[in-house]
Amino acid sequence: ASHCLESVEPKFAKQVKEGDIVVGGNNFGLGSSREQAVQVLKKLGVVAVIAASFGGIFYRNAFNLGLPAIISGDVDQIAADQILEIDLRNGSLKNKTSGDDLTIEAVPENLMALIEAGGLVPFLENKLTKKS
């Protein structure tokens, strides 16, 4: 985790705080075939990642580990240190610093269920426990 995203932002791991949201561009997480790419973001306190698009494996790993991966065509309207408010269910993103309402893709119900459960393993544990 101490080296997370250091090739993009050398001070990222030292500066990220609990509750922060990472904003990326196209194909965020491309080539990250291991869950650790998502795990370190969560360990550092990141609560969501917003990007123009995601690498497929990273995208699914994010939801499997309970980290929202949010697609938005408006990421270029977000600057560092701005305060964002996300409503996953309604597909809305408010830039509280600029006052802008930005667009995001609503998270599908099946992936929302994973987020609400805290990831795939807790989701399955809950599902199996209810059947017993």
Side-chain angles (χ1 to χ4, degrees):
S2 63
H3 298 286
C4 184
L5 295 172
E6 72 183 354
S7 65
V8 178
E9 175 55 57
K11 297 178 183 176
F12 176 80
K14 290 182 176 92
Q15 293 177 339
V16 68
K17 296 179 288 306
E18 184 76 32
D20 279 355
I21 298 168
V22 171
V23 179
N26 291 315
N27 287 322
F28 186 91
L30 181 67
S32 299
S33 63
R34 296 197 172 112
E35 291 179 339
Q36 288 86 348
V38 176
Q39 286 174 328
V40 297
L41 290 172
K42 287 191 69 164
K43 180 175 174 54
L44 291 170
V46 172
V47 295
V49 178
I50 302 171
S53 62
F54 290 90
I57 296 171
F58 179 91
Y59 183 77
R60 190 54 199 223
N61 282 341
F63 285 99
N64 285 348
L65 293 174
L67 180 70
I70 302 160
I71 299 171
S72 175
D74 291 338
V75 292
D76 58 338
Q77 296 178 42
I78 303 169
D81 298 324
Q82 290 186 318
I83 310 246
L84 305 175
E85 183 177 85
I86 303 166
D87 183 338
L88 294 176
R89 285 235 173 252
N90 295 319
S92 67
L93 173 63
K94 174 85 172 176
N95 185 327
K96 300 203 48 131
T97 305
S98 69
D100 294 333
D101 290 315
L102 307 175
T103 59
I104 61 173
E105 292 183 13
V107 175
E109 261 325 294
N110 62 318
L111 297 179
M112 274 305 302
L114 296 180
I115 294 298
E116 290 169 349
L120 180 61
V121 171
F123 173 81
L124 292 174
E125 287 172 341
N126 291 339
K127 191 171 188 173
L128 294 172
T129 302
K130 287 180 183 177
K131 287 190 176 189
S132 301

